[in-house]
Amino acid sequence: METTTVLLVGVGGQGTILAGDLLAKTATAAGLQVKISEIHGMSQRGGSVSTVVRFGDEVASMVADEGCVDVVVAFEAVEALRARPYLKPDGVMFANEEQIVPVSVHIGNAQMPADCTERLQEMGAHLLPAGRIAREAGSPKSTNVVLMGALSTALDFDAASWEQVIADRVPPQTVDANLAAFAEGRKAAGA
């Protein structure tokens, strides 16, 4: 299998690191080599967070250059716009349609990008109301798992493998809600 590169982007506290771990464990369970790179930045202050997960028969590096990412999963709409340059021309993007307004905008030092949703649609991103889907599935904190459900539709790992990794990784009392969030994310992405 050729190396596949997935870039997960979001804002601190959205669960991008857990999502990267779920993807990495699913790829490892399939017998693939996996390399991960995480950038936490100012995550504790609501800043950008990114995780690169690369997997395949042999993975030489964890670096993801512009124009080389197969799939971008954005946990927040503005982060999706920022990640666009990394996506291959034939790459796939799944993006949570929600926007988190940073402190710099609240205090008047910056502005939110205009027409964010429209720009993402023009780019061909698959927009999902991931936060709403997670709440309806019974776990408001499972937006990340909803997005992993969407991602699973673009990768060759079977749903049962993902579900086993989720069940093994999330807190026991949240397994059912997370599995429901995963299933709803798959449905929202067309599975």
Side-chain angles (χ1 to χ4, degrees), residues 11-27:
V11 173
Q14 287 190 295
T16 58
I17 293 170
L18 173 61
D21 188 53
L22 294 174
L23 172 56
K25 286 181 186 274
T26 302

Side-chain angles (χ1 to χ4, degrees), residues 18-19 21-23 25-26 142 144-149 152 159-172 174-183 186:
L18 173 61
D21 188 53
L22 294 174
L23 172 56
K25 286 181 186 274
T26 302
S142 295
N144 56 348
V145 179
V146 170
L147 290 165
M148 290 301 92
S152 74
S161 295
W162 282 95
E163 291 164 353
Q164 185 61 55
V165 168
I166 292 166
D168 291 345
R169 178 62 175 82
V170 301
T174 69
V175 169
D176 290 341
N178 275 290
L179 291 176
F182 177 78
R186 285 180 57 80

